[in-house]
Each structure stands twice: as structure tokens, then as C-alpha cells.
Amino acid sequence: CLMVKPSARALKGISFREIARYFPFVAMAPTHFLVSRKKLTRADLAEQALIAYSRFDFPEYHSWLERIFENQTMPRVMAEYDSSTSLIAALESGSGIAVVQENFSELAGTRLVIRPLQHPKSAYVSFGISWRNTDSSQMTQKFIEATETDSTQR
């Protein structure tokens, strides 16, 4: 399974292998006043309306936000959305800003402006593969091997 790394508790009985790390960026409408800045700080976002993924559907996202804003004022979450498409639509409307992973522009295209966010070194999203510890099937082993081969070619 491809996934964002969940909490240690959620990984009970499951193995996880990281294949990529994504760092935090800020997504906003092209008309937002922060667009003129090439890089944003966490302090820049303190008073902004934050649009986020749903806490219920994406608990790892909210844990990530907590890591990003540790020892800083976290912007107030004004609205939560259950999908990237609804999050993008809300951002396009100018309703606020969102903290997203660095490759979010691949989803949003040119409809949004994406800027890097200064962050603690530990504030990345770990993306990888997971499998049940008891799964020793040939298909699972080939999948694991394929990701090992791919990651060595980067």
C-alpha cells in the first residue's frame, strides 16, 4: 500500500518503508497578498485563515501541522475539507491559505501559487509503502523490491 506514514500506534503489525520526503509549502490564491514573497516564515502565517484537510479523514496532516508550528503560533483552522479538489477550490476562492506538501503544485496546476515555508528539519511528510508483517507473498516481496530499486536510481 502507498501511504503517508501514520502514527506508531497505527503501524502495529505493519511494516513501513519510506520512499520520499516532502517538505511544507504554502498554497494560496494568486490574488493573496503573500504571493509577492518568495519564501514564507511560520510567523507570516500566524494571523492567516488556515484551510486544512479534515481532522477526521487526515489525522496525520494535523500531526504534521503541529510539528511544523511547534513553539510557534499556529494559524487558526477556519475550514476543513475532505479532499484535495475541495481544498483547491476553497483556496482558489481566496478563503485563506493552506500548508501543503511540496509537490502539491502537481495537483493544483497554475490555479494556485505555492511558496516554500521555513520549517523545523523534522517537519516533513514521510511517504512510503506499507505491508502486513505477516504477509510474505511473492507479490508483496516483488513490490518491496521494486521500490528499493527505484529509490536507488534517484
Side-chain angles (χ1 to χ4, degrees):
C1 175
L2 293 169
M3 65 188 300
V4 171
K5 186 177 183 179
S7 67
R9 191 177 84 190
L11 280 173
K12 186 174 182 178
I14 296 176
S15 292
F16 179 86
R17 176 170 296 139
E18 181 179 272
I19 57 175
R21 286 183 177 178
Y22 298 106
F23 293 93
F25 277 58
V26 178
M28 64 196 102
T31 56
H32 197 282
F33 76 93
L34 288 175
V35 165
S36 62
R37 299 186 188 174
K38 295 297 176 197
K39 187 173 186 177
L40 299 167
T41 67
R42 293 173 291 168
D44 292 333
L45 307 185
E47 300 297 321
Q48 298 300 309
L50 185 63
I51 297 173
Y53 287 107
S54 159
R55 184 177 292 277
F56 178 79
D57 295 318
F58 299 95
E60 294 85 7
Y61 174 79
H62 288 268
S63 296
W64 183 48
L65 288 177
E66 290 168 8
R67 287 196 324 269
I68 293 168
F69 290 99
E70 76 179 0
N71 303 320
Q72 298 280 322
T73 301
M74 187 155 98
R76 198 168 107 211
V77 175
M78 300 303 287
E80 293 186 3
Y81 293 90
D82 63 358
S83 70
S84 293
T85 53
S86 58
L87 186 77
I88 290 167
L91 289 166
E92 275 186 293
S93 76
S95 299
I97 54 111
V99 176
V100 296
Q101 74 278 5
E102 65 188 287
N103 63 344
F104 192 78
S105 60
E106 293 174 21
L107 294 171
T110 58
R111 297 179 293 173
L112 300 175
V113 174
I114 313 292
R115 294 286 186 256
L117 176 64
Q118 176 190 10
H119 58 276
K121 291 184 183 201
S122 63
Y124 57 85
V125 171
S126 180
F127 184 78
I129 61 169
S130 65
W131 64 95
R132 291 178 199 221
N133 292 341
T134 58
D135 185 351
S136 58
S137 70
Q138 186 176 11
M139 183 182 293
T140 299
Q141 294 308 311
K142 284 186 177 190
F143 183 64
I144 294 166
E145 290 169 14
T147 62
E148 289 171 348
T149 302
D150 186 47
S151 66
T152 61
Q153 295 175 358
R154 290 181 198 179

